Every structure is written in structure tokens, then in C-alpha cells.
Amino acid sequence: MTADFTVTAQLASAWWTRSGMSAPDAVVSVDPIVLAAVLGVIGPVETCAGALDQKNVVDRLLVEPYRTLDQDAQGRWFADAAAAVFTAVTERARPVAMIPPSRAPSTRTHLRVEP
């Protein structure tokens, strides 16, 4: 992907559509800072490598994988973490409760949405 989120969103949308899925309404990018705020609302998320929570998620996603895992293992870890978080958010989150915690990080471009 690219450093330009608009281009990245277009590429992700095209890839998704080419894989046989219907075109997405939007592409959303959430970094670990926003994810920490979300985990503060929904609580810890269990992954194959242990729990992600509001206090450890930044280190667990931005530091540990690059110090301890090879590239293939990093990809598996990120995929597992993303799937676990997505499942937890869709099963546990009340969207209105997530707005105030995610508001501050979103003003610093930690949360991006591209139609």
C-alpha cells in the first residue's frame, strides 16, 4: 500500500471488488492509538498470542512484532489481531459509546475514512 491513504483506499476497494465481493461503502484505517481508545470502551480482546487491551495495544502492534517476529510471523500476528478486534467490535461495541473516546485521536489523523 502507499503513504497516500486516498490511493490506498482506492487500491483496497479495487482488490476487494476483484476478489468477488461487492464494492465497499468505505475503507477505514484505524491505527493503534484509536484502537487503544476503542479497547477502552469494549474491553480486552483475546488473540492467539494473548490479550490486547487499552494499555498494551500500541506496544504489542508497533514494537514487539518488529523486535521478535520474522516477516511471515508478523503478517500472521497482524491478521489474527485484526480478525479478533473486528469480531469483538462487531459483537460488543455500541457505536454511540465509541464516539467520545475515538474523537480525540481522530483529530490527529489516526482515524481515516475514504468513501
Side-chain angles (χ1 to χ4, degrees):
M1 294 296 152
T2 74
D4 181 334
F5 184 69
T6 301
V7 173
T8 297
Q10 291 168 347
L11 291 170
S13 180
W15 171 80
W16 185 258
T17 304
R18 276 196 298 271
S19 71
M21 307 300 285
S22 59
D25 293 328
V27 176
V28 179
S29 172
V30 175
D31 77 2
I33 305 301
V34 172
L35 182 53
V38 169
L39 292 173
V41 174
I42 67 169
V45 173
E46 286 299 323
T47 71
C48 66
L52 289 176
D53 62 35
Q54 185 177 18
K55 293 181 180 180
N56 73 11
V57 68
V58 173
D59 189 57
R60 299 276 321 273
L61 294 179
L62 293 180
V63 178
E64 288 180 20
Y66 300 104
R67 284 188 312 148
T68 62
L69 302 174
D70 65 31
Q71 191 172 9
D72 290 337
Q74 288 171 10
R76 288 189 302 274
W77 162 234
F78 294 138
D80 177 61
V85 168
F86 185 80
T87 298
V89 167
T90 57
E91 289 177 355
R92 295 189 236 162
R94 293 185 6 243
V96 173
M98 291 175 46
I99 292 170
S102 63
R103 178 178 252 161
S106 69
T107 62
R108 296 187 298 268
T109 69
H110 295 284
L111 172 68
R112 300 288 309 265
V113 178
E114 191 70 34

